[in-house]
Amino acid sequence: MARIKLPTRESLPDDESRDRWDRQAGRTGRVLNIQRAFLTNPGIDLNAFRVWRASGLEPRARELVILRSAFQKRSTYEWHQHVRIARDAGLTDQEIIAIGDWRSATLFSPNERALLGYVDALAESPRPSDDAFAQVSEGRTD
């Protein structure tokens, strides 16, 4: 259940938002809850691929983050959806399996390990430690 109230088409504040709703519904026949959540902030792009690209992460790193998040939160739906995408982004089946126990795996680079550690820190606390943040921030400018 969402923590924020998800809009309905009727509750959207303006024609532009209702047009966004209609375009999405026209493509798929419905508007998914994630897209409804995006509609609570008109500045958020409804196209998940553009949102992912805007993350600043390379596709491989992005999929490591998504799969580890799915693993941590036991989201079988998200895991299932992203295994194929992860393969397309260059992850091997061995690496995908190793995401579950990444700390003992030797398949990930130091940067990837920092990202995986930060995902774990976010799963444990809404504000990860300064150490976890420093590790994931190292070498990044954005």
Side-chain angles (χ1 to χ4, degrees):
M1 172 180 263
R3 289 187 174 198
I4 59 171
K5 185 174 174 149
L6 297 176
T8 62
R9 187 185 186 288
E10 296 73 29
S11 70
L12 293 169
D14 53 47
D15 289 339
E16 183 179 338
S17 296
R18 285 186 289 277
D19 288 345
R20 289 178 78 186
W21 179 288
D22 293 344
R23 282 192 305 275
Q24 185 59 42
R27 282 193 287 274
T28 64
R30 63 187 186 134
V31 179
L32 301 174
N33 284 348
I34 185 68
Q35 294 155 334
R36 292 174 64 198
F38 285 176
L39 281 164
T40 63
N41 182 339
I44 296 177
D45 195 332
L46 290 176
N47 184 307
F49 287 110
R50 283 197 296 259
V51 172
W52 292 337
R53 283 192 295 272
S55 72
L57 295 174
E58 293 295 321
R60 177 185 165 86
R62 181 193 67 227
E63 293 307 317
L64 282 170
V65 166
I66 292 170
L67 285 175
R68 183 60 187 173
S69 298
F71 181 87
Q72 281 286 61
K73 295 302 179 180
R74 292 172 176 74
S75 176
T76 54
Y77 172 82
E78 197 71 17
W79 180 272
H80 175 76
Q81 294 299 311
H82 279 273
V83 164
R84 179 189 51 80
I85 298 169
R87 286 180 183 133
D88 290 345
L91 273 80
T92 66
D93 287 344
Q94 186 180 13
E95 290 169 325
I96 291 168
I97 292 166
I99 288 170
D101 189 22
W102 68 269
R103 290 183 193 278
S104 66
T106 59
L107 303 171
F108 304 112
S109 72
N111 180 53
E112 291 169 341
R113 296 178 70 74
L115 285 169
L116 292 164
Y118 199 69
V119 170
D120 286 358
L122 280 170
E124 294 168 10
S125 168
R127 182 170 169 82
S129 70
D130 291 342
D131 182 52
F133 182 75
Q135 288 177 26
V136 79
S137 297
E138 189 174 323
R140 289 188 168 77
T141 57
D142 295 342

